[in-house]
Amino acid sequence: MAEPTSIDGLLAEGQRQIAICNGCRYCEGYCAVFPAMERLPVVGAGDLTYLANLCHDCRACYQACMYAPPHPFGVEIPKLMSEARERSYSEFARPRWFARWFTAGPRAVAALTLAGALVFAFLAWAAGRARGIFAPTESTRTFFDVIPYGLMLVPSLLLTAFLLAVIVWGFIDFQRASRGASHLGARVWLSGLAEVATLRWMRGGGDDCYYPAIERSSPLRRRFHHLTAYGFLAALVSTSLASFYHNVLDLPAPYPVLHPVVLFGLVGGIGMTVGTTGLLWLKARAAPLQARREALLNSSFLVSLNLASTSGLFLLALRDTPAMGALLVLHLGTIVALYVTAPYGKFVHIVYRTAAVLRSAAERAADEAAGGRSAREPAALGRPASTRLP
Amino acid sequence: MAAYDVVVAGGGNAALCAAIAARSRGASVLVLECAPKAWRGGNSKYTRNIRVAHLDGDAVMPGAYSPQEFLSDLVRVTGKDLDQDLASYVVERSLDLPAWMSDQGIRWQPPLRGTLQLARTNRFFLGGGKALMNAYYRRAESLGIAVRYEAPVVELAFEGERCTGVVVAANGSSERVRAGAVVVATGGFEANIEWLREYWGDRVENYAVRGTAYNDGALLRVLLDLGAEARGNPRGHHAIAVDARSPKFEGGIVTRVDSVPFSIVVNIHGDRFADEGEDLWPMRYATWGGLIGAQPEQMAYSIFDSKVAGNFIGGAYPPLIANTVGELAQKAGLPVLRVEETVGEFNRSIVPGEYDPTRLDGCRTIDLSPPKSNWALPIDTPPYYCYPLIPGITFTYLAVAVDRAARVLRESGRPLENVYAAGEIMAGNILLRGYLAGIGMTIGTVFGVVAGEHAAGVRRG
């Protein structure tokens, strides 16, 4: 696709700041972004998108930057990257006209949750089981006594298919525009995915995130992110297992507490609830180095995950009480909101960040193959990198 | 009146090392930094690494660097007339610095691109000098060291031979602080344009000061007036070629221009004035500040073509670009005909050879004055580029004499009893001229720690 033209102002500012970074290079030990900048003879729009999605916003570079405000050079890489990231999210949202949904804030998430819950309540009513929600009787023991299995399955499958399609579409376009490496060998995939899985670039080169306070580093953000991400994965495993037990083994819910479906769901739900609450708490205290819209997208996504996991936990805890029906409908509503907003919210960072980390891993592998030096680097005449104002 | 066992004047590397060392010995400590918090850290915030001797390699420094080798490197760049005793002392004590610094929370990184030639001799701070200073300030805070910003020390108070405290100028008035001992770590005077003018006249108007705007040398003057013995040439300063568009102060590393050996350099009249290819750039770059400073209006222009444009690391400002030499000269505000002539003469005088930017390649000119001894390639492939250059001062060499305990020595040879100096203000005992990457931080850290330890031993009377 064509290079985006809407970010010319941002691109010019990016080129200015990156020229300063490339003349300095003191931050190259923090993360993959700075060595990636050094490999770029010219920074194009696609490159900026790539760098922005490679940046994990750990802010180690900001605290170390002698050119950050009030210095007149005004270098603010976390903010620049946040703005470019936020632009790229709408740029690669598919289908394109859906991108306007990116303005969804936490309130929109709440509204969608409510709408989703109403849809499921309507389905229950249409199936003649509305009483299961509001006036449960002895006969409403399982979720499917409230919402028939088919009515639960079909919307979920549709939403999942929609989400996957939109993600793959965006990933391919993103790869093309950010000039992602075309040949990813097995080793690059392995090392890249390991970096994604361990949040290696949120470690600040061993110094961790300078977040929420710029004054000192803290592992909290990385840990809460791990809880959220792995909690999300555990919840996915739980759901997939449940459908496996139901459809393949013909063992429908409910399952006992020590059943894998319940255990994965419980661990995942707790991880996500603690993780997202922690991240929201840190966010409220963080230095304002984020584009306003990206901050909004982050909050929406975190709130959405938080609602889904918290309502899931409540549903599990109270599934044998009369509150089950109402909680189920509410929980399904939060899942609808999560899936509908996902392709137009912070969820997509999973896709783009992975693509960016893979490109960076491929470039580093190529550097290594070339003997650890970039072709651009003159061996002896280069800057002697002295100290004391070299 | 506030009173502390040790008062440290300054807020850079040497000052914080002194404060931490004194506090670790139990002294109550006050740091008086003249800059606002956002600009704290003196020139140290622009540094990147420290030179240390070490007997074994480790994860960030491959191979050994013996104290003997370190000392001979130092003597080679600065000459034999350095204070041998202090120099060997710094080199010996540098062995312990990495462990001491790690204990204060300093983190390291292996050198990456463009800095590999220093891997064995220099230890790199993760994130550079500002990250280093942030770590020291965090350590100071956790140790309970008091820090005041925008608090310049303007005077030392004495009762007889003994310093009893300092006078701080703050909020338009002055204030006394009592001290058992005082450590002066306020750097050189490179940001004091009036002082520089005493030696260099009005030409300093056109210089950039690469580092902190707060090194006014006020306490250096105070100590000299108190009879402290001066070391080093008062006119001595380290200056390099920086981009003419640089800010007057605080431009740091990114205003440096490294195109000189790949280019020809002309003055405002369009004439060359020095051999751009005399030696490898790390050997020569610090001579170009002085060379440009001697040109009219202290301006020069580095002109090169697209063949060599990717051969060096660029800086904060983009080069001027044009499709002909004449157009480039016009953009730079240079006499077009004369620049075309200079480029033509240069191109015609080149002896063909095998261009190799990694060594002295002997690609040179003949019958040209001044010659270009290496890397002479015809400037003939558009687009053409130009960086406008001015001198940028890094630091001054003038210092006060100190002994091994970092006590300030008077001309009589007797030390001031309880006044210590550390960092750039005394580095001129050891580095009289020239430069060795990372040596400023070595001197500042060793003498900062030494000064702090000794100052903590002097209790308030």
Side-chain angles (χ1 to χ4, degrees), chain B residues 51 79 83 85 102 111 206 216 238:
Chain B
R51 184 172 291 251
D83 186 322
D85 179 58
S102 297
N206 299 328
D216 61 5
H238 181 276

Side-chain angles (χ1 to χ4, degrees), chain A residues 71 207 367 377-378 387-388 390, chain B residues 113-114 210 250 311 435 438:
Chain A
H71 195 286
D207 217 10
D367 276 3
E377 182 179 20
T387 155
R388 201 79 190 153
Chain B
R113 294 149 177 258
R210 302 178 61 215
E250 313 267 5
N311 281 0
Y435 189 68

Side-chain angles (χ1 to χ4, degrees), chain B residues 163-347:
Chain B
C163 178
T164 56
V166 300
V167 179
V168 188
N171 306 322
S173 66
S174 63
E175 184 190 329
R176 287 274 309 266
V177 178
R178 285 190 72 83
V182 174
V183 178
V184 182
T186 51
F189 67 93
E190 62 275 358
N192 187 330
I193 303 300
E194 291 314 307
W195 194 340
L196 291 171
R197 199 195 305 274
E198 288 175 27
Y199 309 119
W200 298 97
D202 289 339
R203 70 150 86 166
V204 296
E205 290 294 333
N206 299 328
Y207 286 21
V209 177
R210 302 178 61 215
T212 177
Y214 294 89
N215 276 6
D216 61 5
L219 280 186
L220 175 60
R221 185 81 90 182
V222 165
L223 288 176
L224 292 173
D225 289 348
L226 281 167
E229 187 185 337
R231 285 283 159 85
N233 175 3
R235 294 166 61 90
H237 64 276
H238 181 276
I240 68 161
V242 299
D243 199 293
R245 295 160 287 187
S246 302
K248 181 75 181 170
F249 298 100
E250 313 267 5
I253 187 171
V254 299
T255 57
R256 186 170 130 179
V257 176
D258 285 337
S259 61
V260 170
F262 305 98
S263 70
I264 60 167
V265 179
V266 302
N267 61 19
I268 56 169
H269 302 307
D271 298 322
R272 290 176 63 249
F273 54 87
D275 182 350
E276 301 91 347
E278 195 179 0
D279 201 345
L280 291 169
W281 188 230
M283 308 294 162
R284 296 311 311 157
Y285 77 96
T287 61
W288 279 81
L291 288 170
I292 297 168
Q295 294 305 305
E297 294 179 26
Q298 292 70 53
M299 282 287 295
Y301 300 82
S302 171
I303 294 172
F304 54 99
D305 71 4
S306 58
K307 292 198 298 293
V308 296
N311 281 0
F312 55 91
I313 295 175
Y317 301 96
L320 307 178
I321 306 177
N323 281 321
T324 65
V325 170
E327 192 193 330
L328 190 70
Q330 196 176 16
K331 277 192 174 175
L334 291 169
V336 172
L337 289 178
R338 180 60 198 140
V339 171
E340 284 173 343
E341 248 171 55
T342 301
V343 170
E345 285 164 17
F346 171 75
N347 286 351

